[in-house]
């Protein structure tokens, strides 16, 4: 799927899983949804020169080249439905321990989400290296400043990565058969859907947006917050 479809599906997955997410309060809930959305871009960091690996210039491009070699190529290791969530989750588990590394991880998630969703964001700041760095690190710092340490980060990372793999599994290119591909390179594709088709752009992407809005409304305090207004409107009618 296209980058922004992945980010949107990650946001929807983050919002849908809020009732089970180990987060409390609106700030942490927002961070959970944002992290799931951004981390749904993570598996495509497996080839240097891609939009997401260009995000922070060499800071993201060099590691992404290394990730690609480690994963044995684009759409292989980082798209393994079993190994990838485990590997990225373990990495996040180590990072969630210290303030600076959770800041880095949250900033990475926000940066990736901004980069993927640039077409709905006014201006072009988030697409420049400096603009993206300022927005994502500022946002991550703001979130971390208003919530307890995010011990839940590994779960959000695993959820985002898994959502990405599920998204690619329904395209013709498919994803590697988990673990088996290490021995014998074989792939799994659930549908003959091509990446970037009208169906993806006109049906899937808007569906993810609607799902995100609905789940945020249903799973957060938002419902209670607007309840008096609904009541008011009803009494008027
Ligand atoms: Zn992918």
């Amino acid at each position: 799927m296209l980058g922004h479809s992945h980010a949107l599906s990650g946001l929807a997955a983050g919002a849908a899983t809020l009732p089970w997410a180990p987060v409390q309060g609106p700030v942490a809930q927002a961070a959970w949804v944002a992290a799931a959305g951004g981390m749904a871009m993570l598996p495509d960091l497996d080839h240097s020169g891609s939009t997401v690996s260009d995000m922070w210039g060499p800071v993201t491009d060099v590691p992404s080249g290394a990730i690609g070699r480690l994963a044995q190529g684009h759409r292989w290791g980082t798209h393994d439905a079993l190994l990838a969530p485990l590997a990225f989750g373990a990495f996040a588990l180590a990072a969630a321990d210290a303030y600076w590394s959770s800041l880095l991880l949250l900033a990475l998630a926000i940066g990736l989400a901004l980069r993927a969703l640039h077409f709905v964001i006014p201006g072009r700041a988030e697409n420049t290296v400096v603009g993206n760095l300022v927005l994502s690190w500022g946002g991550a710092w703001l979130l971390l400043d208003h919530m307890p340490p995010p011990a839940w980060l590994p779960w959000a990372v695993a959820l985002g990565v898994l959502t990405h793999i599920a998204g690619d599994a329904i395209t013709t290119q498919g994803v590697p058969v988990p673990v088996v591909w290490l021995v014998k390179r074989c792939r799994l594709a659930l549908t003959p859907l091509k990446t970037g088709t009208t169906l993806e752009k006109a049906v899937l992407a808007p569906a993810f947006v609607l799902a995100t809005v609905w789940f945020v409304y249903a799973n957060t305090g938002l419902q209670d917050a607007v309840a008096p207004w609904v009541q008011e409107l009803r009494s008027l009618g």
Side-chain angles (χ1 to χ4, degrees), residues 9-99:
S9 69
L11 289 176
T17 51
L18 275 173
W20 304 278
V23 291
Q24 240 109 53
V27 177
Q29 284 181 322
W32 169 269
V33 176
M39 291 310 179
M41 299 291 298
L42 214 51
D44 279 348
L45 271 180
D46 61 0
H47 63 131
S48 80
S50 67
T51 331
V52 285
S53 69
D54 283 345
M55 178 172 74
W56 291 343
V59 182
T60 38
D61 200 44
V62 173
S64 95
I67 291 173
R69 279 191 296 279
L70 195 70
Q72 299 186 31
H74 183 40
R75 278 185 172 231
W76 287 103
T78 60
H79 288 65
D80 183 313
L82 205 72
L83 299 179
L86 279 175
F88 283 120
F91 177 74
L93 193 66
D97 247 9
Y99 178 82

Side-chain angles (χ1 to χ4, degrees), residues 82-192:
L82 205 72
L83 299 179
L86 279 175
F88 283 120
F91 177 74
L93 193 66
D97 247 9
Y99 178 82
W100 68 268
S101 46
S102 16
L103 187 70
L104 168 75
L105 216 59
L106 263 185
L108 186 68
I110 296 173
L112 289 171
L114 286 176
R115 183 86 202 202
L117 300 173
H118 68 92
F119 64 102
V120 289
I121 306 167
R124 291 192 35 89
E126 73 284 353
N127 260 353
T128 63
V129 173
V130 176
N132 190 292
L133 276 172
V134 170
L135 287 172
S136 51
W137 285 84
W141 175 78
L142 217 78
L143 285 174
L144 275 187
D145 214 40
H146 291 88
M147 66 183 189
W152 47 261
L153 262 176
W155 295 106
V157 170
L159 174 68
V161 168
L162 210 57
T163 309
H164 179 109
I165 297 168
D168 276 347
I170 60 161
T171 64
T172 34
Q173 294 97 324
V175 292
V177 180
V179 190
V180 178
W181 69 274
L182 284 167
V183 191
K184 184 177 176 287
R185 291 216 162 196
C186 46
R187 303 186 73 85
L188 189 82
L190 301 178
T191 72

